[in-house]
Amino acid sequence: MIRRDFLKNMTIMGVAVAAPVAIAEAAENRATVTDLSTTLLKGRISSAGKGVAGVAVTDGINVVLSSANGNYELLSNKTTQFVYVSLPSGYEFPHENSITRFFRTIDHSKSSFVSDFELKKLSLSDDKHTFIVWGDPQIQTKRDAELLVSQSAPDLKEVVDSYRDKVPVHGIGCGDLVWDKFNLFPDYKKAIALSGVPFFNVIGNHDMDLEARTDEGSTRTFREHFGPTYYSFNRGKIHYVVLDDVFFMGVAKRYMGYIGENQLQWLEQDLKQVPAGATVVVSLHIPTNTGQHARNKDTTPELGGVVVNRQRLYDVLKPYQVHFMSAHTHFNEVWIEDNMTEHNHGTVCGAWWTGPICGDGTPSGYGVYEVEGDKISWYYKATGHPKTHQLRIYPVGKHKDYPQEACINVWNYDKNWHLEWFADGRPMGKPEQRTAYDPWAHEMFMGAEKPNPRGWVEPNLTDHLFFVKPDASVKVIKVNATDPFGNVYTESLNLNA
């Protein structure tokens, strides 16, 4: 079995050794009698002393809207933990050191619980705004945490500062904030706090309590740090939704990509307030779908690699223009089909902090999204590089499978990009797209002995590679890559260097 197969089966076969211990631990969690009676949730949504009407309030099961004077009432089951609002457009996102505070923990000891939410109007319009998506910081050791704080966080702050005072900015932590080490959550919080902007966080498979006996129990520590695992908010004309698509099976390290009926029913209620045709941004950790199984020539996707009931989610979202923000895979991929675009992000940690790139050659980094009205444009920000760093050219002979050709990696490529290459200034047309390994990733990660440490890391086949075959007399090749928004990125390579 090659190590790719080993990694693929970590969520399926690889639990065999761990399962007896985990099951034994789960058996020790004795059931307690749960009070299933109700608590009346009520309060007021206000701003500068005036009630704010039409704000969605939820306990994660039902959704109600605040009245004309800002009041709300909601009868809630005592098994719920939070009452929270879908923060409305035109208002600031309240946060404490970048952890957005849109929720209150319910005290179920009495028959009613009062929670008021005070909103503050933005000083500028949010029809234009920017958001940033951090996928898989995935810190496991203090060394990882130090790199996150000393390298990734300052890069993030520099990007935020370039927008600050011009447009509102928020962040999305797209899961695997840590790598099973909950004592490092404060390090993650320290890193995002350096940005000074509010972050909304997504639970990943490495943010779960592995000793839990159910999926619900696996989110306990995450909820203590960040609040609800699914919720929504609004900015400008965009409706944002965060979902928990990591379904924990009750055995350590075993999970699948799945969205339960409770979330789907909640989402249907939440979207009743969103007009058809609007743009909806849905953030979740495991991608709804990728092309990786096809690249690997597998018949079906991995159980833990995509959302298995994604079609049910697509059906709910059919009336909208949807952008999915996902992470998990440690490669970068953008796919577009009908009303949906999925941005599966390269990671903040690269290939688990073993070098400056992911398994597909994408630099460690994150996504930056610029919003104007209901339109979204985007680029990938490589940590430590300028915004213009959007492709890499490898010289002839660098790719082991195509030694007579130069190789080009355009990591944020989608079908709406346009590529053209030049030989000593002469236009040569479009490079040929192929599925292959990125040469640098292959060099760094292929083989049981590397990288050191974490030798199980492997390169990923990717289809954002392009090839050209210059004549022997050519001295310089140049590539122009035009993104879907008309931005032209250029790289040149001197073949005699």
Side-chain angles (χ1 to χ4, degrees):
M1 179 184 294
I2 65 171
R3 286 181 297 148
R4 178 175 66 80
D5 292 329
F6 166 74
L7 291 172
K8 182 173 85 171
N9 289 300
M10 283 180 69
T11 60
I12 304 173
M13 298 190 307
V15 303
V17 175
V21 174
I23 292 172
E25 290 176 349
E28 294 175 359
N29 293 326
R30 301 302 181 193
T32 58
V33 176
T34 302
D35 182 356
L36 297 179
S37 59
T38 57
T39 299
L40 178 63
L41 309 178
K42 57 185 179 178
R44 187 168 186 253
I45 316 296
S46 61
S47 178
K50 296 182 178 180
V52 181
V55 177
V57 183
T58 184
D59 60 353
I61 300 174
N62 292 306
V63 179
V64 298
L65 300 181
S66 59
S67 66
N69 58 7
N71 292 331
Y72 73 88
E73 285 192 359
L74 174 62
L75 195 61
S76 181
N77 190 285
K78 286 190 183 293
T79 58
T80 60
Q81 184 177 359
F82 302 107
V83 56
Y84 46 106
V85 297
S86 183
L87 293 167
S89 297
Y91 295 87
E92 294 183 3
F93 294 153
H95 67 98
E96 297 175 9
N97 296 319
S98 293
I99 305 299
T100 309
R101 298 299 184 187
F102 56 94
F103 57 91
R104 304 283 189 273
T105 301
I106 302 169
D107 179 0
H108 282 297
S109 64
K110 298 180 180 179
S111 60
S112 65
F113 176 74
V114 178
S115 183
D116 298 328
F117 293 88
E118 175 68 19
L119 305 177
K120 183 178 180 181
K121 278 190 172 293
L122 283 165
S123 59
L124 68 169
S125 171
D126 57 1
D127 278 356
K128 287 186 178 181
H129 63 271
T130 295
F131 67 96
I132 293 163
V133 179
W134 259 23
D136 293 77
Q138 203 153 342
I139 48 178
Q140 187 184 48
T141 66
K142 275 295 182 182
R143 175 188 173 275
D144 298 341
E146 289 166 1
L147 292 173
L148 182 71
V149 172
S150 65
Q151 296 181 8
S152 306
D155 194 272
L156 170 65
K157 184 178 185 302
E158 184 177 347
V159 171
V160 168
D161 286 346
S162 71
Y163 293 100
R164 202 185 303 271
D165 301 326
K166 300 174 186 176
V167 295
V169 183
H170 68 275
I172 298 171
C174 214
D176 282 2
L177 312 179
V178 297
W179 189 354
D180 302 329
K181 303 296 184 182
F182 295 156
N183 62 302
L184 297 178
F185 272 142
D187 296 89
Y188 167 75
K189 292 179 178 180
K190 178 181 178 182
I192 62 172
L194 290 174
S195 72
V197 299
F199 260 70
F200 297 87
N201 293 288
V202 180
I203 190 170
N205 53 290
H206 287 290
D207 303 317
M208 300 190 303
D209 295 87
L210 300 180
E211 75 282 0
R213 66 181 187 179
T214 63
D215 179 55
E216 292 81 1
S218 70
T219 64
R220 178 181 57 83
T221 301
F222 180 92
R223 286 183 276 116
E224 289 174 356
H225 283 274
F226 304 106
T229 60
Y230 59 93
Y231 51 93
S232 70
F233 57 98
N234 303 273
R235 176 143 278 182
K237 292 181 171 61
I238 309 298
H239 185 66
Y240 292 84
V241 174
V242 170
L243 294 177
D244 171 6
D245 69 345
V246 185
F247 187 87
F248 176 70
M249 298 182 183
V251 178
K253 300 292 185 180
R254 187 160 186 177
Y255 62 89
M256 65 178 175
Y258 177 79
I259 299 173
E261 179 63 16
N262 58 335
Q263 287 191 73
L264 291 174
Q265 286 194 15
W266 169 85
L267 180 60
E268 287 174 323
Q269 293 181 74
D270 177 75
L271 292 174
K272 286 181 180 179
Q273 321 312 321
V274 182
T279 299
V280 178
V281 172
V282 179
S283 297
L284 28 64
H285 179 63
I286 295 175
T288 68
N289 203 9
T290 77
Q292 194 61 30
H293 71 284
R295 291 189 285 272
N296 292 340
K297 298 183 179 179
D298 296 329
T299 54
T300 58
E302 301 171 23
L303 186 65
V306 299
V307 176
V308 295
N309 63 332
R310 57 189 172 277
Q311 188 57 53
R312 306 305 184 191
L313 177 62
Y314 296 164
D315 291 344
V316 174
L317 293 166
K318 189 174 181 180
Y320 306 100
Q321 296 301 312
V322 182
H323 288 262
F324 292 108
M325 305 290 155
S326 59
H328 186 57
T329 62
H330 294 248
F331 57 73
N332 201 74
E333 180 179 8
V334 182
W335 62 261
I336 301 170
E337 185 175 344
D338 299 327
N339 66 317
M340 297 179 296
T341 300
E342 178 142 10
H343 309 263
N344 184 213
H345 294 81
T347 58
V348 173
C349 71
W352 293 271
W353 300 107
T354 60
I357 59 173
C358 303
D360 64 341
T362 299
S364 56
Y366 48 94
V368 181
Y369 297 82
E370 299 175 337
V371 180
E372 184 168 355
D374 61 355
K375 305 299 182 185
I376 302 177
S377 61
W378 57 87
Y379 64 91
Y380 187 88
K381 178 61 176 70
T383 302
H385 293 275
K387 174 182 176 179
T388 53
H389 185 54
Q390 298 294 322
L391 66 152
R392 183 187 307 117
I393 306 176
Y394 294 101
V396 173
K398 188 68 172 178
H399 201 289
K400 68 178 187 65
D401 294 329
Y402 307 102
Q404 304 303 314
E405 298 173 87
C407 175
I408 306 145
N409 193 334
V410 186
W411 38 82
N412 215 27
Y413 178 85
D414 65 52
K415 65 182 183 180
N416 293 321
W417 282 65
H418 175 73
L419 272 63
E420 186 178 16
W421 75 286
F422 301 82
D424 290 334
R426 291 179 290 110
M428 303 297 291
K430 183 178 179 179
E432 182 180 343
Q433 185 176 11
R434 296 180 196 149
T435 298
Y437 289 111
D438 173 85
W440 192 10
H442 188 275
E443 180 182 298
M444 290 187 66
F445 305 136
M446 182 65 81
E449 74 285 354
K450 55 188 178 181
N452 185 18
R454 300 170 179 167
W456 45 265
V457 173
E458 289 289 306
N460 304 108
L461 289 169
T462 182
D463 53 18
H464 50 65
L465 292 181
F466 301 83
F467 293 83
V468 300
K469 189 174 183 179
D471 293 337
S473 61
V474 173
K475 296 179 180 179
V476 177
I477 60 175
K478 183 179 78 171
V479 177
N480 286 345
T482 305
D483 74 9
F485 317 106
N487 301 302
V488 181
Y489 304 102
T490 300
E491 292 287 339
S492 296
L493 181 67
N494 188 337
L495 299 180
N496 296 325

